[in-house]
Amino acid sequence: MKILLLNPPFTRYGGVEGHGGKSAPLNLCYLLAYARRHLNDEMRILDCEGLELSFDDIRNELEKNTPDLLAITMPTPAYTQVLEVAKIAKDISKEILV
């Protein structure tokens, strides 16, 4: 199974001041490190905030490397951006578990 852990873009899409930014998504790093010990699946992190990816960039990445499972971290202020990423994933394939 191909698993993608995604930190959504936030700051450039109307993020709340004082939230978001270029901090490493440590929650996803911890989860990935733990999961790699217990799963044999292909797993990776896509830090859309840190890489300053647009929604078009995310669509291109998901089309190029379509995961079976997309896990998106969701700080409350990024709710709208997370919904957009989930919609993009489902537009690409209804088979992607989000």
Side-chain angles (χ1 to χ4, degrees):
M1 177 179 272
K2 290 173 59 175
I3 300 171
L4 177 61
L5 306 177
L6 188 139
N7 186 35
F10 178 70
T11 307
R12 69 190 281 189
Y13 293 103
V16 177
E17 188 171 329
H19 297 278
K22 300 296 184 269
S23 299
L26 291 179
N27 57 335
L28 297 181
C29 296
Y30 294 142
L31 180 60
L32 181 68
Y34 177 83
R36 281 188 172 162
R37 289 184 174 190
H38 301 282
L39 302 172
N40 288 327
D41 298 312
E42 179 185 329
M43 302 175 67
R44 67 187 187 94
I45 294 173
L46 181 60
D47 183 3
C48 301
E49 177 67 12
L51 295 171
E52 298 182 354
L53 299 182
S54 68
F55 290 121
D56 288 336
D57 295 332
I58 294 168
R59 176 179 298 280
N60 291 336
E61 178 63 29
L62 292 177
E63 287 174 343
K64 185 170 50 174
N65 298 301
T66 304
D68 299 305
L69 172 67
L70 174 63
I72 309 167
T73 188
M74 194 190 84
T76 302
Y79 178 75
T80 303
Q81 292 82 359
V82 170
L83 289 179
E84 182 63 25
V85 172
K87 180 183 178 309
I88 289 168
K90 288 299 186 176
D91 285 348
I92 291 169
S93 173
K94 302 285 187 226
E95 300 300 315
I96 299 174
L97 297 173
V98 177

